[in-house]
Amino acid sequence: MRRHPDQVAEAPLPGFDVTRPVRLPRKPSKNVGVEAHRKAHRDRLRARFTEGGSDAVPDYELLEMILYRALPRGDTKPLAKALLKQFGDLNHVLAAPPARLKDVTGVGDRVVFELKLMEAVGHRMARARVMKKPILSSWDALLDYCQTAMAHRELEQFRVLFLDRKNVLIADEAQQTGTVDHVPVYPREVVKRALELNASALILVHNHPSGDPTPSQADMDMTNAIRDAAEVLGLVIHDHLIIGKARELSFRAEGYL
């Protein structure tokens, strides 16, 4: 297009390119500071744990570190404290059912996965101390394992430990899971499974979510029914353990068996 004779073009000032937009410097993002603070906090926690072990950090900080993998960019401290407030202690957090965990704001599938993974690792470590070993000479380790696996469950679970002729633990199986105060047990299925495994002796174990391991009449009747069925087939019932939150009860030690 032609410029009108009366129009005068204004020359640009030296050093300025009017064809390019001028970009002003951006202000630092607040997220940068937050991320730096979070990373520093995590680094301090890791260093304290590395140098001092588990005794150097309280439960909520252990739980924070467990949650790092599930929430790599999130602030895990408030969630760790919320979980402990909801369930009471670290053991109960790890043992809580997935549905109950998800009732806590901030808990999704990834958090549940990490918590259940840590629970499984703890069980496997305790179990390794008793599997394929003479149980009667490793009794304290057996009690520790039962406490780890069962003391913090919210529902009753019935397990059977199957032993060979040398009283070596050859299998540990959860037979049934029930309600908060009852678990169905079928003596015929227990002895049938013992025969399948070629076991010679059994130890029965179940938990009381109430925390009190005192046996009920139903516990007594169930134990006697299994003992009677086992004796017919030449199987020995060494004991029936009831696991409470702080202690366990042995039918054998209490004279019930």
Side-chain angles (χ1 to χ4, degrees), residues 133-218:
K133 296 180 181 179
I135 285 299
L136 301 185
S137 60
S138 307
W139 197 250
D140 288 343
L142 174 66
L143 296 180
D144 288 344
Y145 165 60
C146 292
Q147 280 286 338
T148 299
M150 303 180 73
H152 304 285
R153 292 182 174 274
E154 296 188 342
L155 302 177
E156 281 199 17
Q157 183 186 71
F158 179 75
R159 306 179 76 92
V160 181
L161 310 181
F162 298 93
L163 315 178
D164 66 11
R165 293 179 180 178
K166 295 182 179 180
N167 290 320
V168 171
L169 181 61
I170 57 175
D172 160 35
E173 297 183 355
Q175 297 290 307
Q176 298 286 339
T177 297
T179 65
V180 294
D181 58 4
H182 173 71
V183 59
V185 178
Y186 305 99
R188 180 177 178 179
E189 294 300 318
V190 172
V191 297
K192 177 183 176 183
R193 183 58 177 155
L195 294 176
E196 292 172 349
L197 294 168
N198 197 29
S200 297
L202 312 174
I203 297 175
L204 314 177
V205 190
H206 84 279
N207 63 309
H208 278 183
S210 68
D212 181 3
T214 303
S216 65
Q217 187 59 50

Coordinates of all heavy atoms in Angstrom, one line a residue, residues 133-218:
K133 N 11.9 -74.7 60.3 CA 12.7 -74.8 61.5 C 11.9 -75.6 62.6 O 10.6 -75.5 62.6 CB 13.1 -73.5 62.1 CG 14.1 -72.7 61.1 CD 14.4 -71.4 61.7 CE 15.3 -70.6 60.7 NZ 15.7 -69.3 61.2
P134 N 12.5 -76.3 63.5 CA 11.8 -76.9 64.6 C 11.1 -75.9 65.5 O 11.7 -75.1 66.1 CB 12.9 -77.7 65.4 CG 14.1 -77.7 64.5 CD 14.0 -76.5 63.6
I135 N 9.7 -76.0 65.5 CA 8.9 -75.0 66.1 C 9.1 -75.0 67.6 O 9.2 -73.9 68.3 CB 7.5 -75.1 65.7 CG1 7.3 -74.6 64.3 CG2 6.5 -74.4 66.7 CD1 7.6 -73.2 64.1
L136 N 9.1 -76.2 68.2 CA 9.1 -76.2 69.7 C 10.4 -75.7 70.3 O 10.4 -75.3 71.4 CB 8.9 -77.7 70.1 CG 7.6 -78.3 69.6 CD1 7.4 -79.7 70.2 CD2 6.4 -77.4 70.0
S137 N 11.5 -75.6 69.5 CA 12.7 -75.0 69.9 C 12.8 -73.5 69.5 O 13.8 -72.9 69.7 CB 13.9 -75.8 69.5 OG 14.0 -75.9 68.1
S138 N 11.9 -73.1 68.7 CA 11.8 -71.7 68.2 C 10.6 -71.0 68.6 O 10.0 -70.2 67.9 CB 12.0 -71.6 66.7 OG 13.1 -72.4 66.2
W139 N 10.1 -71.3 69.8 CA 8.8 -70.9 70.3 C 8.6 -69.3 70.3 O 7.6 -68.8 70.0 CB 8.4 -71.5 71.6 CG 7.0 -71.4 72.0 CD1 6.4 -70.7 72.9 CD2 5.9 -72.2 71.3 NE1 5.0 -70.9 72.9 CE2 4.7 -71.8 72.0 CE3 5.9 -73.1 70.3 CZ2 3.5 -72.3 71.6 CZ3 4.7 -73.6 69.9 CH2 3.5 -73.3 70.6
D140 N 9.7 -68.7 70.9 CA 9.6 -67.2 71.0 C 9.5 -66.6 69.6 O 8.8 -65.6 69.4 CB 10.8 -66.7 71.7 CG 10.8 -67.0 73.2 OD1 9.7 -67.3 73.7 OD2 11.8 -66.9 73.8
A141 N 10.2 -67.1 68.6 CA 10.2 -66.6 67.3 C 8.8 -66.8 66.7 O 8.3 -66.0 65.9 CB 11.2 -67.2 66.4
L142 N 8.2 -68.0 67.0 CA 6.8 -68.2 66.5 C 5.8 -67.2 67.1 O 5.0 -66.7 66.4 CB 6.4 -69.7 66.9 CG 5.0 -70.0 66.6 CD1 4.7 -70.1 65.1 CD2 4.6 -71.4 67.2
L143 N 5.9 -67.0 68.4 CA 5.0 -66.0 69.0 C 5.2 -64.6 68.4 O 4.2 -63.9 68.1 CB 5.3 -65.9 70.5 CG 4.9 -67.2 71.3 CD1 5.2 -67.0 72.8 CD2 3.5 -67.7 71.1
D144 N 6.5 -64.2 68.1 CA 6.7 -62.9 67.5 C 6.1 -62.9 66.1 O 5.5 -61.9 65.7 CB 8.2 -62.7 67.3 CG 8.9 -62.4 68.7 OD1 8.2 -62.1 69.6 OD2 10.1 -62.5 68.7
Y145 N 6.2 -64.0 65.4 CA 5.6 -64.0 64.0 C 4.1 -63.9 64.1 O 3.5 -63.1 63.3 CB 6.0 -65.3 63.3 CG 5.1 -65.6 62.1 CD1 5.1 -64.7 61.0 CD2 4.3 -66.7 62.0 CE1 4.3 -64.9 59.9 CE2 3.5 -67.0 60.9 CZ 3.5 -66.1 59.9 OH 2.7 -66.3 58.8
C146 N 3.5 -64.6 65.0 CA 2.0 -64.6 65.1 C 1.5 -63.2 65.6 O 0.5 -62.7 65.1 CB 1.5 -65.6 66.2 SG 1.7 -67.3 65.6
Q147 N 2.3 -62.5 66.4 CA 2.0 -61.2 66.8 C 2.0 -60.2 65.6 O 1.2 -59.4 65.4 CB 2.9 -60.7 67.9 CG 2.5 -61.2 69.3 CD 1.3 -60.5 69.9 OE1 1.0 -59.4 69.5 NE2 0.7 -61.1 70.9
T148 N 3.1 -60.4 64.8 CA 3.3 -59.5 63.7 C 2.2 -59.7 62.6 O 1.7 -58.7 62.1 CB 4.7 -59.8 63.0 OG1 5.7 -59.5 64.0 CG2 4.9 -58.9 61.8
A149 N 1.8 -60.9 62.4 CA 0.9 -61.3 61.3 C -0.6 -61.0 61.7 O -1.4 -60.8 60.9 CB 1.1 -62.7 60.9
M150 N -0.9 -61.1 63.1 CA -2.3 -61.2 63.4 C -2.8 -60.2 64.5 O -4.0 -59.9 64.6 CB -2.6 -62.6 63.9 CG -2.3 -63.7 62.9 SD -2.7 -65.3 63.4 CE -4.5 -65.3 63.4
A151 N -1.9 -59.7 65.3 CA -2.3 -58.9 66.5 C -3.1 -57.6 66.1 O -3.9 -57.2 66.9 CB -1.1 -58.5 67.3
H152 N -2.8 -57.1 64.9 CA -3.4 -55.8 64.6 C -4.5 -55.8 63.6 O -4.9 -54.8 63.0 CB -2.3 -54.8 64.2 CG -1.2 -54.6 65.2 ND1 -1.4 -53.9 66.3 CD2 0.0 -55.2 65.3 CE1 -0.3 -54.0 67.1 NE2 0.6 -54.7 66.5
R153 N -5.0 -57.0 63.3 CA -6.1 -57.2 62.3 C -7.4 -56.8 63.0 O -7.6 -57.0 64.2 CB -6.2 -58.7 61.9 CG -5.0 -59.1 61.0 CD -5.2 -60.6 60.6 NE -4.2 -61.0 59.6 CZ -4.2 -60.7 58.3 NH1 -5.2 -60.2 57.8 NH2 -3.2 -61.1 57.6
E154 N -8.2 -56.2 62.1 CA -9.5 -55.7 62.6 C -10.6 -56.8 62.6 O -11.7 -56.6 63.1 CB -10.0 -54.5 61.8 CG -9.1 -53.3 62.0 CD -9.6 -52.0 61.4 OE1 -10.5 -52.1 60.5 OE2 -9.1 -51.0 61.7
L155 N -10.3 -57.9 61.9 CA -11.2 -59.0 61.8 C -10.5 -60.3 62.3 O -9.3 -60.4 62.2 CB -11.7 -59.3 60.3 CG -12.4 -58.1 59.7 CD1 -12.7 -58.4 58.2 CD2 -13.7 -57.7 60.4
E156 N -11.3 -61.2 62.8 CA -10.8 -62.5 63.3 C -10.3 -63.3 62.1 O -10.9 -63.4 61.1 CB -11.8 -63.3 64.1 CG -12.0 -62.8 65.5 CD -12.6 -63.9 66.4 OE1 -12.6 -65.1 66.0 OE2 -13.1 -63.5 67.5
Q157 N -9.1 -63.9 62.3 CA -8.6 -64.8 61.3 C -8.1 -66.1 62.0 O -7.5 -66.1 63.1 CB -7.4 -64.2 60.6 CG -6.8 -65.0 59.5 CD -5.5 -64.4 58.9 OE1 -4.5 -64.4 59.5 NE2 -5.6 -63.9 57.7
F158 N -8.4 -67.2 61.3 CA -8.0 -68.5 61.9 C -6.9 -69.1 61.0 O -7.1 -69.2 59.8 CB -9.2 -69.5 61.9 CG -8.8 -70.8 62.4 CD1 -8.6 -71.0 63.8 CD2 -8.7 -71.9 61.6 CE1 -8.3 -72.3 64.3 CE2 -8.4 -73.2 62.0 CZ -8.2 -73.4 63.4
R159 N -5.7 -69.4 61.5 CA -4.6 -70.0 60.8 C -4.2 -71.3 61.4 O -4.5 -71.6 62.6 CB -3.4 -69.1 60.9 CG -3.6 -67.6 60.5 CD -2.3 -66.8 60.7 NE -1.4 -67.1 59.6 CZ -1.3 -66.4 58.5 NH1 -2.1 -65.4 58.3 NH2 -0.4 -66.7 57.6
V160 N -3.6 -72.1 60.6 CA -3.1 -73.4 61.0 C -1.7 -73.6 60.6 O -1.3 -73.3 59.4 CB -3.9 -74.6 60.4 CG1 -3.4 -75.9 60.9 CG2 -5.4 -74.5 60.7
L161 N -0.8 -73.9 61.6 CA 0.6 -74.2 61.3 C 0.7 -75.7 61.2 O 0.4 -76.4 62.2 CB 1.5 -73.6 62.4 CG 1.2 -72.1 62.8 CD1 2.2 -71.7 63.9 CD2 1.4 -71.2 61.5
F162 N 1.2 -76.2 60.1 CA 1.4 -77.6 59.9 C 2.8 -78.1 60.1 O 3.7 -77.5 59.5 CB 0.9 -78.0 58.5 CG -0.5 -77.6 58.2 CD1 -0.9 -76.4 57.6 CD2 -1.5 -78.5 58.4 CE1 -2.2 -76.1 57.3 CE2 -2.9 -78.2 58.2 CZ -3.2 -77.0 57.6
L163 N 3.0 -79.1 60.9 CA 4.4 -79.6 61.3 C 4.6 -81.0 60.8 O 3.6 -81.8 60.7 CB 4.6 -79.5 62.8 CG 4.1 -78.2 63.5 CD1 4.4 -78.4 65.0 CD2 4.8 -77.0 63.0
D164 N 5.8 -81.3 60.5 CA 6.1 -82.7 60.1 C 6.5 -83.5 61.4 O 6.3 -83.0 62.5 CB 7.3 -82.7 59.1 CG 8.6 -82.2 59.6 OD1 8.8 -82.1 60.9 OD2 9.5 -82.0 58.8
R165 N 7.0 -84.7 61.2 CA 7.3 -85.6 62.3 C 8.4 -85.1 63.2 O 8.5 -85.5 64.4 CB 7.6 -87.0 61.8 CG 6.4 -87.7 61.1 CD 6.8 -89.1 60.6 NE 5.7 -89.7 60.0 CZ 5.7 -90.9 59.4 NH1 6.8 -91.6 59.4 NH2 4.6 -91.4 58.8
K166 N 9.2 -84.2 62.7 CA 10.3 -83.6 63.5 C 9.9 -82.2 64.1 O 10.7 -81.5 64.6 CB 11.5 -83.5 62.7 CG 12.1 -84.8 62.3 CD 13.4 -84.6 61.5 CE 14.0 -86.0 61.1 NZ 15.3 -85.8 60.4
N167 N 8.6 -81.9 64.0 CA 8.0 -80.7 64.4 C 8.6 -79.5 63.7 O 8.7 -78.4 64.3 CB 8.2 -80.5 66.0 CG 7.3 -81.4 66.7 OD1 6.1 -81.7 66.3 ND2 7.8 -82.0 67.8
V168 N 9.0 -79.7 62.5 CA 9.5 -78.6 61.6 C 8.2 -78.0 60.9 O 7.4 -78.7 60.4 CB 10.5 -79.1 60.6 CG1 10.8 -78.0 59.6 CG2 11.8 -79.5 61.3
L169 N 8.2 -76.7 60.9 CA 7.0 -76.0 60.2 C 7.1 -76.2 58.7 O 8.1 -75.7 58.1 CB 7.0 -74.5 60.6 CG 5.9 -73.7 60.1 CD1 4.5 -74.2 60.5 CD2 6.0 -72.2 60.5
I170 N 6.2 -76.8 58.1 CA 6.2 -77.1 56.7 C 5.2 -76.2 55.9 O 5.3 -76.0 54.7 CB 6.0 -78.6 56.3 CG1 4.6 -79.1 56.9 CG2 7.1 -79.4 56.9 CD1 4.3 -80.5 56.5
A171 N 4.2 -75.7 56.6 CA 3.2 -74.8 56.0 C 2.5 -74.0 57.0 O 2.3 -74.4 58.2 CB 2.2 -75.6 55.2
D172 N 2.2 -72.7 56.6 CA 1.4 -71.8 57.5 C 0.3 -71.2 56.6 O 0.6 -70.6 55.6 CB 2.3 -70.7 58.0 CG 1.6 -69.5 58.4 OD1 0.5 -69.6 59.0 OD2 2.1 -68.3 58.2
E173 N -0.9 -71.6 56.9 CA -2.0 -71.2 56.0 C -3.2 -70.5 56.8 O -3.6 -71.0 57.9 CB -2.6 -72.4 55.3 CG -1.5 -73.0 54.4 CD -2.1 -74.2 53.6 OE1 -3.3 -74.6 53.8 OE2 -1.4 -74.7 52.7
A174 N -3.7 -69.4 56.3 CA -4.9 -68.8 56.8 C -6.1 -69.6 56.3 O -6.3 -69.7 55.0 CB -5.0 -67.4 56.4
Q175 N -6.9 -70.2 57.2 CA -8.0 -71.0 56.8 C -9.3 -70.2 56.5 O -10.0 -70.4 55.5 CB -8.3 -72.1 57.8 CG -7.1 -73.0 58.0 CD -6.9 -74.0 56.9 OE1 -7.9 -74.6 56.5 NE2 -5.7 -74.0 56.3
Q176 N -9.5 -69.3 57.4 CA -10.8 -68.5 57.4 C -10.6 -67.1 57.9 O -9.7 -66.9 58.8 CB -11.9 -69.2 58.1 CG -12.3 -70.5 57.7 CD -13.1 -70.5 56.4 OE1 -13.7 -69.5 56.0 NE2 -13.1 -71.6 55.6
T177 N -11.4 -66.1 57.4 CA -11.4 -64.8 58.0 C -12.9 -64.5 58.3 O -13.8 -64.8 57.5 CB -10.9 -63.7 57.0 OG1 -9.5 -64.0 56.8 CG2 -11.0 -62.3 57.6
G178 N -13.2 -64.0 59.5 CA -14.6 -63.8 59.9 C -14.9 -62.3 60.2 O -14.6 -61.5 59.4
T179 N -15.6 -62.1 61.3 CA -16.0 -60.8 61.7 C -15.1 -60.3 62.8 O -14.1 -60.8 63.1 CB -17.5 -60.8 62.1 OG1 -17.6 -61.6 63.3 CG2 -18.4 -61.4 61.0
V180 N -15.6 -59.2 63.5 CA -14.8 -58.7 64.6 C -14.8 -59.6 65.8 O -13.9 -59.4 66.7 CB -15.3 -57.3 65.0 CG1 -15.1 -56.3 63.9 CG2 -16.8 -57.3 65.4
D181 N -15.7 -60.5 65.9 CA -15.8 -61.4 67.1 C -16.1 -62.8 66.8 O -16.4 -63.6 67.7 CB -16.8 -60.8 68.1 CG -18.2 -60.7 67.5 OD1 -18.4 -61.1 66.4 OD2 -19.1 -60.2 68.3
H182 N -16.0 -63.2 65.5 CA -16.3 -64.6 65.2 C -15.6 -65.0 63.9 O -15.5 -64.2 63.0 CB -17.8 -64.8 65.1 CG -18.1 -66.2 64.6 ND1 -18.0 -67.3 65.3 CD2 -18.6 -66.6 63.4 CE1 -18.4 -68.4 64.6 NE2 -18.8 -68.0 63.4
V183 N -15.1 -66.2 63.8 CA -14.6 -66.8 62.6 C -15.0 -68.2 62.4 O -14.9 -69.0 63.4 CB -13.0 -66.7 62.5 CG1 -12.4 -67.4 63.7 CG2 -12.5 -67.2 61.2
P184 N -15.6 -68.5 61.3 CA -16.1 -69.9 61.1 C -14.9 -70.9 60.9 O -14.0 -70.6 60.1 CB -17.0 -69.8 59.9 CG -16.4 -68.7 59.1 CD -15.9 -67.7 60.1
V185 N -14.9 -72.0 61.5 CA -13.9 -73.0 61.4 C -14.5 -74.4 61.2 O -15.5 -74.7 61.8 CB -13.0 -73.1 62.7 CG1 -11.9 -74.1 62.5 CG2 -12.3 -71.7 62.9
Y186 N -14.0 -75.1 60.2 CA -14.5 -76.4 59.9 C -13.5 -77.5 60.1 O -12.5 -77.7 59.4 CB -15.0 -76.4 58.4 CG -15.9 -75.3 58.1 CD1 -15.5 -74.1 57.5 CD2 -17.3 -75.4 58.4 CE1 -16.3 -73.1 57.2 CE2 -18.1 -74.3 58.1 CZ -17.7 -73.2 57.5 OH -18.5 -72.2 57.3
P187 N -13.6 -78.2 61.3 CA -12.6 -79.2 61.6 C -12.3 -80.2 60.5 O -11.1 -80.6 60.3 CB -13.3 -80.0 62.8 CG -14.2 -78.9 63.4 CD -14.7 -78.1 62.3
R188 N -13.3 -80.6 59.7 CA -13.1 -81.6 58.7 C -12.1 -81.0 57.6 O -11.2 -81.7 57.1 CB -14.4 -81.9 58.0 CG -14.2 -82.9 56.8 CD -15.6 -83.3 56.3 NE -15.5 -84.2 55.2 CZ -16.5 -84.7 54.5 NH1 -17.8 -84.4 54.9 NH2 -16.3 -85.5 53.5
E189 N -12.2 -79.7 57.3 CA -11.3 -79.1 56.3 C -9.9 -79.0 56.9 O -8.9 -79.1 56.1 CB -11.9 -77.7 55.9 CG -13.2 -77.8 55.2 CD -13.1 -78.5 53.9 OE1 -12.1 -78.4 53.2 OE2 -14.0 -79.3 53.6
V190 N -9.8 -78.7 58.2 CA -8.5 -78.6 58.8 C -7.7 -79.9 58.7 O -6.6 -80.0 58.3 CB -8.6 -78.2 60.3 CG1 -7.2 -78.2 61.0 CG2 -9.2 -76.7 60.4
V191 N -8.3 -81.0 59.1 CA -7.6 -82.3 59.1 C -7.4 -82.8 57.6 O -6.4 -83.4 57.3 CB -8.4 -83.4 59.9 CG1 -8.4 -82.9 61.4 CG2 -9.8 -83.6 59.4
K192 N -8.3 -82.5 56.8 CA -8.2 -82.8 55.3 C -6.9 -82.2 54.8 O -6.1 -82.8 54.1 CB -9.4 -82.4 54.6 CG -9.3 -82.7 53.1 CD -10.5 -82.2 52.3 CE -10.4 -82.3 50.8 NZ -11.6 -81.8 50.1
R193 N -6.7 -80.9 55.1 CA -5.6 -80.2 54.6 C -4.3 -80.7 55.2 O -3.2 -80.8 54.5 CB -5.7 -78.7 54.9 CG -4.6 -77.8 54.4 CD -4.4 -78.0 52.9 NE -3.4 -77.1 52.3 CZ -2.7 -77.3 51.2 NH1 -3.0 -78.4 50.5 NH2 -1.8 -76.5 50.8
A194 N -4.3 -81.1 56.5 CA -3.2 -81.7 57.1 C -2.7 -83.0 56.4 O -1.5 -83.2 56.2 CB -3.5 -82.0 58.6
L195 N -3.7 -83.8 56.0 CA -3.4 -85.0 55.3 C -2.8 -84.7 53.9 O -1.9 -85.4 53.5 CB -4.6 -85.9 55.1 CG -5.2 -86.5 56.5 CD1 -6.5 -87.2 56.2 CD2 -4.2 -87.4 57.1
E196 N -3.3 -83.7 53.2 CA -2.8 -83.3 51.9 C -1.3 -82.9 52.0 O -0.5 -83.2 51.1 CB -3.6 -82.2 51.3 CG -5.0 -82.6 50.9 CD -5.9 -81.4 50.5 OE1 -5.4 -80.3 50.7 OE2 -7.0 -81.6 50.0
L197 N -0.9 -82.3 53.1 CA 0.4 -81.8 53.3 C 1.3 -82.8 54.0 O 2.5 -82.6 54.2 CB 0.4 -80.5 54.2 CG -0.2 -79.3 53.5 CD1 -0.5 -78.2 54.6 CD2 0.6 -78.8 52.4
N198 N 0.7 -84.0 54.3 CA 1.5 -85.1 55.0 C 2.0 -84.6 56.3 O 3.1 -84.9 56.7 CB 2.6 -85.6 54.1 CG 3.1 -86.9 54.6 OD1 2.4 -87.7 55.2 ND2 4.4 -87.2 54.4
A199 N 1.2 -83.7 57.0 CA 1.6 -83.2 58.3 C 1.4 -84.2 59.4 O 0.5 -85.1 59.3 CB 0.8 -81.9 58.6
S200 N 2.1 -84.1 60.5 CA 1.9 -85.0 61.6 C 1.4 -84.3 62.9 O 0.9 -84.9 63.8 CB 3.3 -85.6 62.0 OG 3.8 -86.4 61.0
A201 N 1.5 -82.9 62.9 CA 1.0 -82.2 64.0 C 0.6 -80.8 63.6 O 1.0 -80.3 62.5 CB 2.1 -82.0 65.1
L202 N -0.2 -80.2 64.4 CA -0.8 -78.9 64.1 C -0.7 -77.9 65.3 O -0.7 -78.3 66.4 CB -2.3 -79.0 63.7 CG -2.7 -80.1 62.7 CD1 -4.3 -80.1 62.7 CD2 -2.1 -79.8 61.4
I203 N -0.6 -76.6 64.9 CA -0.8 -75.6 65.9 C -1.8 -74.7 65.4 O -1.7 -74.2 64.3 CB 0.5 -74.8 66.2 CG1 1.6 -75.7 66.8 CG2 0.3 -73.6 67.1 CD1 3.0 -75.0 66.9
L204 N -2.9 -74.5 66.1 CA -4.0 -73.6 65.8 C -3.7 -72.2 66.3 O -3.2 -72.0 67.4 CB -5.3 -74.1 66.3 CG -5.6 -75.6 66.2 CD1 -6.9 -76.0 66.9 CD2 -5.6 -76.0 64.7
V205 N -4.1 -71.2 65.5 CA -3.8 -69.8 65.9 C -5.0 -69.0 65.4 O -5.4 -69.1 64.2 CB -2.5 -69.2 65.2 CG1 -2.2 -67.9 65.9 CG2 -1.4 -70.2 65.4
H206 N -5.6 -68.1 66.2 CA -6.5 -67.1 65.8 C -6.4 -65.9 66.7 O -5.8 -65.9 67.7 CB -7.9 -67.6 65.7 CG -8.7 -67.6 67.0 ND1 -8.6 -68.5 68.0 CD2 -9.7 -66.7 67.4 CE1 -9.5 -68.3 68.9 NE2 -10.1 -67.1 68.6
N207 N -6.8 -64.8 66.2 CA -6.7 -63.5 66.9 C -8.0 -63.0 67.4 O -9.1 -63.4 67.0 CB -6.1 -62.4 65.9 CG -7.1 -62.1 64.8 OD1 -7.5 -63.0 64.1 ND2 -7.4 -60.8 64.6
H208 N -7.9 -62.2 68.5 CA -9.1 -61.5 69.0 C -8.9 -60.0 68.8 O -8.1 -59.3 69.4 CB -9.2 -61.7 70.5 CG -9.9 -63.0 70.8 ND1 -10.2 -63.4 72.1 CD2 -10.4 -64.0 70.0 CE1 -10.7 -64.6 72.1 NE2 -10.9 -65.0 70.8
P209 N -9.6 -59.4 67.8 CA -9.5 -57.9 67.5 C -9.7 -57.0 68.7 O -9.3 -55.9 68.8 CB -10.5 -57.7 66.4 CG -10.6 -59.0 65.7 CD -10.5 -60.0 66.8
S210 N -10.5 -57.5 69.7 CA -10.8 -56.8 70.9 C -9.5 -56.5 71.7 O -9.4 -55.6 72.5 CB -11.8 -57.5 71.8 OG -11.2 -58.7 72.3
G211 N -8.5 -57.4 71.5 CA -7.2 -57.2 72.2 C -7.1 -58.2 73.4 O -6.0 -58.4 73.9
D212 N -8.2 -58.7 73.9 CA -8.2 -59.6 75.0 C -8.2 -61.1 74.5 O -9.1 -61.5 73.8 CB -9.5 -59.4 75.8 CG -9.6 -60.3 77.1 OD1 -8.6 -61.1 77.3 OD2 -10.6 -60.3 77.8
P213 N -7.1 -61.8 74.8 CA -7.0 -63.2 74.3 C -7.7 -64.2 75.1 O -7.6 -65.4 74.8 CB -5.5 -63.4 74.3 CG -5.0 -62.6 75.5 CD -5.9 -61.4 75.6
T214 N -8.5 -63.8 76.1 CA -9.3 -64.8 76.8 C -10.2 -65.6 75.9 O -11.0 -65.0 75.2 CB -10.1 -64.1 77.9 OG1 -9.3 -63.3 78.8 CG2 -10.9 -65.1 78.8
P215 N -10.1 -67.0 76.0 CA -10.9 -67.8 75.1 C -12.4 -67.8 75.5 O -12.8 -67.7 76.6 CB -10.4 -69.2 75.3 CG -9.7 -69.2 76.6 CD -9.2 -67.8 76.8
S216 N -13.3 -67.8 74.4 CA -14.7 -67.9 74.6 C -15.1 -69.4 74.7 O -14.3 -70.2 74.4 CB -15.5 -67.2 73.5 OG -15.2 -67.9 72.3
Q217 N -16.3 -69.6 75.0 CA -16.8 -71.0 75.0 C -16.8 -71.6 73.6 O -16.5 -72.7 73.3 CB -18.2 -71.1 75.5 CG -18.7 -72.5 75.7 CD -17.9 -73.4 76.6 OE1 -17.6 -72.9 77.8 NE2 -17.5 -74.5 76.2
A218 N -17.1 -70.7 72.6 CA -17.0 -71.1 71.2 C -15.6 -71.5 70.8 O -15.3 -72.5 70.1 CB -17.5 -70.0 70.3

